[in-house]
């Protein structure tokens, strides 16, 4: 006999990418930023500590919402903050999708979406991308039991994007909200922020984990129309963001020069990575994110992953049932990517 709800007892639980606790790996497996965050962020944390931590944090993270509103050109009441964007995805799922109801995601994409549906006792439906990573027409269809659609854009593991125009047309056909997960959007050429004002069904989530080099901090946010934000706020933990993370995230968003400089470095290295992989015979999908998706027409990729790991280079091996496998490689520093390409050159 289990004490647990049947859906919890039956599920495997979400398995995040490996985080080795030793420093001797070149770590290119979880799409972290290889650079240190803005010095202004570290200073903001020190100042917050100096002010003391005996009081509860601002439950709505007002300082961050005002800064983000200024940077994004929207009003603060369009923003909800979370303990990482995973917290935002959880809040949205809990608020919109009831037991037995349906949540949709594209496939292959972020595996956590399915886990969230399962915890909720809801059903999930993974609609396959076409082989060119465009969406099937059914992605925009749906009946009354469809309550939420997730779309990572850029997508993981492909790094590809669906255009904002296509997303707006999709949202207009859907019977329910569409959450565009923009975890990687700072590395891309376009974004869907302006769609939120045009269509209330479009919502955008973002994170400071990747482009701002703050995966260890846990801060993300949702942009949606204010009447939706009010409802989502009922579902969140009272103090889901802490004093230190609010201070850090607010100053991170304020340092535009740091973001521009870091983004430029990562985009340049992404090009070296993609060129190098193609020279080695890989099929490497053009990426708008801080990673690339790589398959090889001759070599099975699992042994390549194992051999890289043996050489202390950690990339992500993904095997998607009914789709296929590949290597997702995070854009590190130029030196890390050179080492990875060099190792692959010796192996293939
Ligand atoms: C990394 C990632 C997130 C989660 O980001 P956190 O803010 O660290 O929780 C969300 N969605 C996608 C697609 C991601 O790759």
């Amino acid at each position: 006999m289990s004490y647990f709800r049947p859906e919890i007892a039956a599920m495997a639980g979400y398995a995040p990418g490996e985080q080795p606790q030793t420093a001797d790996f070149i770590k290119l497996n979880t799409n972290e930023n290889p650079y240190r965050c803005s010095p202004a962020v570290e200073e903001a944390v020190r100042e917050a500590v100096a002010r003391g931590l005996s009081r509860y944090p601002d439950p709505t993270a007002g300082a961050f919402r005002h800064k983000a509103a200024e940077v994004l050109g929207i009003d603060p009441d369009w923003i909800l903050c979370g303990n990482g964007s995973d917290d935002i995805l959880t809040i949205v799922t809990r608020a919109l999708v009831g037991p037995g109801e349906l949540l949709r995601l594209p496939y292959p994409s972020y595996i956590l979406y399915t886990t969230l549906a399962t915890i909720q006792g809801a059903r999930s439906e993974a609609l396959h991308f076409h082989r060119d990573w465009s969406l099937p027409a059914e992605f925009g269809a749906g009946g009354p039991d469809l309550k939420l659609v997730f779309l990572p854009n850029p997508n993981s593991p492909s790094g590809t994007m669906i255009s904002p125009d296509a997303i707006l047309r999709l949202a207009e056909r859907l019977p329910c909200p569409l959450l565009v997960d923009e975890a990687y959007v700072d590395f891309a050429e376009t974004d869907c922020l302006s769609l939120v004002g045009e269509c209330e069904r479009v919502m955008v989530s973002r994170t400071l984990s990747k482009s701002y080099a703050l995966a260890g901090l846990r801060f993300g946010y949702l942009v949606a129309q204010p009447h939706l934000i009010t409802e989502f706020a009922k579902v969140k933990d009272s103090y889901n963001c802490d004093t230190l993370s609010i201070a850090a995230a607010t100053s991170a968003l304020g340092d535009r020069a740091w973001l521009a400089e870091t983004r430029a470095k990562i985009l340049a290295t992404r090009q070296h990575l993609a060129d190098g992989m193609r020279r080695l015979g890989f099929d490497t999908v053009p990426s708008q994110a801080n990673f690339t998706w790589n398959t090889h027409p001759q070599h099975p990729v699992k042994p390549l992953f194992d051999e890289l790991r043996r050489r202390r280079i950690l990339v992500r091996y993904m095997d998607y049932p009914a789709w296929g496998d590949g290597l997702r490689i995070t854009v590190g520093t130029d030196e890390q990517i050179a080492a990875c390409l060099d190792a692959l050159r010796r192996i293939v």
Side-chain angles (χ1 to χ4, degrees):
M1 196 213 64
S2 170
Y3 294 120
F4 290 87
R5 290 164 46 215
E7 47 274 51
I8 304 301
M11 72 187 284
Y14 178 70
E18 190 180 352
Q19 297 290 351
Q21 297 302 314
T22 53
D24 62 339
F25 275 100
I26 292 181
K27 196 171 175 307
L28 306 173
N29 68 330
T30 51
N31 299 342
E32 290 141 326
N33 197 309
Y35 300 105
R36 209 177 163 102
C37 69
S38 158
V41 172
E42 298 181 4
E43 185 52 33
V45 172
R46 278 192 292 271
E47 283 169 12
V49 171
R51 283 193 299 274
L53 297 171
S54 58
R55 303 289 183 199
Y56 281 109
D58 172 359
T60 69
F64 177 87
R65 289 188 304 116
H66 280 89
K67 176 52 77 179
E70 176 193 316
V71 169
L72 303 174
I74 56 177
D75 278 329
D77 60 354
W78 291 57
I79 300 171
L80 180 80
C81 297
N83 180 33
S85 66
D86 285 351
D87 183 33
I88 294 296
L89 306 179
T90 302
I91 292 167
V92 167
T93 307
R94 286 171 68 194
L96 296 179
V97 193
E101 293 178 335
L102 188 64
L103 175 159
R104 173 178 297 158
L105 61 149
Y107 182 84
S109 73
Y110 194 34
I111 298 153
L112 179 72
Y113 305 140
T114 308
T115 308
L116 294 175
T118 306
I119 293 170
Q120 205 51 14
R123 292 173 296 129
S124 60
E125 168 185 72
L127 297 187
H128 285 222
F129 277 107
H130 290 131
R131 281 284 151 181
D132 67 357
W133 298 98
S134 61
L135 284 173
E138 317 90 84
F139 203 81
D145 58 342
L146 183 65
K147 297 299 179 184
L148 173 62
V149 177
F150 280 123
L151 181 66
N153 204 48
N155 184 49
S156 172
S158 60
T160 52
M161 280 189 102
I162 305 297
S163 74
D165 272 358
I167 289 179
L168 183 59
R169 273 180 270 124
L170 199 71
E172 282 168 347
R173 285 170 57 212
L174 282 170
C176 67
L178 167 66
L179 187 135
V180 185
D181 180 345
E182 293 195 336
Y184 299 103
V185 85
D186 288 326
F187 304 108
E189 283 157 19
T190 56
D191 67 75
C192 288
L193 192 67
S194 69
L195 304 187
V196 179
E198 282 180 59
C199 174
E200 68 167 5
R201 284 196 289 284
V202 180
M203 312 187 292
V204 164
S205 67
R206 296 201 175 159
T207 175
L208 275 72
S209 296
K210 277 78 183 228
S211 53
Y212 288 91
L214 291 170
L217 185 80
R218 312 308 304 135
F219 204 94
Y221 62 96
L222 176 74
V223 181
Q225 293 198 6
H227 64 287
L228 305 179
I229 294 287
T230 307
E231 299 303 303
F232 291 129
K234 296 177 185 171
V235 174
K236 77 178 190 70
D237 292 343
S238 309
Y239 305 109
N240 61 332
C241 300
D242 63 86
T243 302
L244 300 184
S245 73
I246 295 167
T250 305
S251 76
L253 240 67
D255 195 346
R256 308 315 291 159
W258 181 94
L259 182 68
E261 196 183 307
T262 307
R263 175 184 193 270
K265 284 193 282 194
I266 289 175
L267 264 49
T269 310
R270 180 175 75 193
Q271 192 63 48
H272 299 322
L273 172 61
D275 292 345
M277 293 302 284
R278 291 189 189 113
R279 272 199 296 274
L280 292 170
F282 286 88
D283 288 324
T284 298
V285 183
S287 169
Q288 298 220 30
N290 66 335
F291 53 84
T292 62
W293 177 244
N294 310 273
T295 55
H296 200 289
Q298 287 103 36
H299 285 280
V301 292
K302 179 64 166 56
L304 301 180
F305 163 80
D306 291 331
E307 185 54 32
L308 282 174
R309 194 173 194 293
R310 212 183 54 75
R311 294 169 186 237
R312 293 302 202 214
I313 298 172
L314 200 54
V315 301
R316 191 81 175 261
Y317 171 72
M318 300 285 213
D319 188 9
Y320 296 100
W323 180 273
D325 62 356
L327 298 180
R328 195 191 67 187
I329 305 180
T330 302
V331 178
T333 61
D334 273 338
E335 295 71 30
Q336 291 174 326
I337 292 307
C340 179
L341 289 169
D342 194 52
L344 280 170
R345 198 170 299 121
R346 287 158 206 275
I347 303 166
V348 294

